[in-house]
Amino acid sequence: MSTPVTLIPGDGIGPEIVANAVRVLEAAGARLDWDHQMAGMAAVEKGLGPLPDETVESILHNRLALKGPLTTPVGRGFRSINVALRKMFDLYANVRPARALIPGGRYPDVDLVVIRENTEGLYVGVEHFIGMEEDPQAAAESVMIVTRFGAKRIARFAFEYAISHGRRKVTLVHKANILKCTQGLFLEVGKQIARDYEGRVEFEDRIVDNTAMQLVVNPYQFDVIVTENMFGDILSDEASGLIGGLGLAPGANIGKDVAIFEAVHGSAPDIAGQGIANPSAVILAGCMLLEHAGQEQVAERTRAALVAALRSDSRTRDLGGAASTRDFAGRIIKELD
Ligand code: NAI
Ligand code: MG
């Protein structure tokens, strides 16, 4: 039985890396039935809106999507489609594993996961300017929103993730010493949920600035990090820097009904259309999707072949090699045999 999946090639390098990811996943034996849909600039150029109804319906129907990066116009133009998708499908958990795959890095054995609350915090975008005298923008304020409901479900998600993925520890990262209400609530709820998992998953909490420093000094002390929206945004990029950069960092946006898998990186307009982008992050996102769809063995096989290819003489330019996207994908497929 194959699983239907909405496939969105995306913008910039999206179509190049997604097409090659599909090649690799199919060669590995993935039983996925691709439903091709458009979003972002690609859709706008075809005279549609940035998030066509047909695409939304496809995701609602299939409940699973693999998506390339989408360009967000800066300043003017439509708002981020990535944010719109997270809101529309209530994709409250952003799961970003950081696992070192290539030897020779500073931390060859890093294997941690950042779980970021994806719907609350400062990123709700409740902000405005305050005018004073002549200056209409004399001050500005943004509101950080944390709800018991939101804090509970992300903490529970992190513990359930730890159990289902054989992880030993959850570290809740916060700034409750300064932000006593919002961050205090996030921490209090996390501690309550942790009690339900006592004896099964270790729990600790840490202040965010200290965590940022500890990640650089000794990342091995971390296993699963759970944190609010903005801290998770920052710490997950930091974590991807520990393992060789954005070209290797996958992510999943997970809600109750729908899950959307993608690379952490964007559409890389500086190298789009040249056929040199690294497809690894999208392939790893595809592996996360396979696990979600119950095809763990195919995911494991794909990941092993990707690791073998990364350790070969064939690498893309971002990792110091000279291989094209297509040739690197070809190398992975060869390693599958
Ligand atoms: P970016 O991640 O696209 O690029 C940052 C740097 O990393 C560039 O030098 C790029 O060439 C390089 N890079 C990224 N992915 C790569 C890959 N697979 N292989 C080799 N090199 C790679 O970030 P940037 O430039 O800030 O954003 C570009 C556009 O992407 C913006 O419109 C932004 O809004 C959008 N974006 C979309 C995301 C999504 O769809 N989830 C996430 C982040 C950004
Ligand atoms: Mg970010």
Side-chain angles (χ1 to χ4, degrees), residues 24-25 28 283 287 290 298-306 332 336:
V24 168
L25 295 170
I283 293 169
C287 292
L290 284 168
V298 189
E300 213 30 69
R301 193 166 129 77
T302 308
R303 222 179 255 128
L306 171 64
I332 304 172
L336 283 168

Side-chain angles (χ1 to χ4, degrees), residues 37 43 53 67 71 74 87 98 104 121 123 146 155 161 189 209 211 215-216 234 284 293 316 329:
Q37 297 291 339
D53 290 345
K67 137 184 182 317
T71 300
V74 178
K87 278 198 179 147
Y123 288 14
V146 172
Y161 181 96
V189 169
D209 38 354
T211 305
L215 261 175
V216 176
I234 298 168
L284 289 167
T316 45

Side-chain angles (χ1 to χ4, degrees), residues 6-200:
T6 302
L7 184 70
I8 301 170
D11 301 317
I13 58 171
E16 309 159 39
I17 53 176
V18 168
N20 280 286
V22 167
R23 260 178 82 206
V24 168
L25 295 170
E26 287 187 344
R31 297 176 306 281
L32 301 173
D33 192 3
W34 304 109
D35 176 5
H36 293 253
Q37 297 291 339
M38 272 189 294
M41 301 298 272
V44 171
E45 277 154 22
K46 286 264 173 349
L48 303 164
L51 186 54
D53 290 345
E54 218 185 302
T55 304
V56 172
E57 274 153 30
S58 164
I59 297 172
L60 264 179
H61 183 255
N62 297 324
R63 297 164 160 233
L64 274 181
L66 181 64
K67 137 184 182 317
L70 301 174
T71 300
T72 304
V74 178
R76 288 159 168 279
F78 57 82
R79 298 190 65 169
S80 167
I81 297 306
N82 298 307
V83 175
L85 286 169
R86 284 173 201 166
K87 278 198 179 147
M88 185 173 283
F89 300 113
D90 197 21
L91 306 174
Y92 66 92
N94 190 337
V95 180
R96 293 181 162 183
R99 187 156 154 198
L101 299 176
I102 39 179
R106 186 180 301 231
Y107 298 113
D109 301 313
V110 168
D111 181 10
L112 59 88
V113 186
V114 177
I115 295 180
R116 160 187 174 190
E117 202 293 320
N118 224 5
T119 59
E120 302 194 334
L122 275 176
Y123 288 14
V124 290
V126 179
E127 55 174 2
H128 58 253
F129 289 108
I130 299 163
M132 264 184 263
E133 296 172 1
E134 306 291 85
D135 186 356
Q137 299 184 352
E141 57 185 29
S142 300
V143 182
M144 176 181 272
I145 292 173
V146 172
T147 66
R148 190 178 293 283
F149 169 79
K152 241 186 198 169
R153 70 174 176 175
I154 197 66
R156 194 162 292 287
F157 182 95
F159 280 100
E160 289 297 326
Y161 181 96
I163 285 175
S164 61
H165 290 76
R167 300 266 175 182
R168 73 194 147 78
K169 182 170 84 171
V170 170
T171 304
L172 183 148
V173 176
H174 62 87
K175 190 74 184 176
N177 50 330
I178 304 291
L179 299 170
K180 298 199 189 290
C181 296
T182 46
Q183 294 294 306
L185 178 60
F186 192 79
L187 173 60
E188 181 210 304
V189 169
K191 282 180 173 168
Q192 267 168 13
I193 299 289
R195 278 189 216 118
D196 293 347
Y197 296 87
E198 242 166 29
R200 290 188 288 162

Side-chain angles (χ1 to χ4, degrees), residues 13 17 67-72 82 86 246-247 262-271 276-279 318:
I13 58 171
I17 53 176
K67 137 184 182 317
L70 301 174
T71 300
T72 304
N82 298 307
R86 284 173 201 166
L246 283 173
E262 63 183 340
V264 168
H265 64 71
S267 54
D270 52 335
I271 57 165
I276 58 168
N278 187 350
D318 55 310

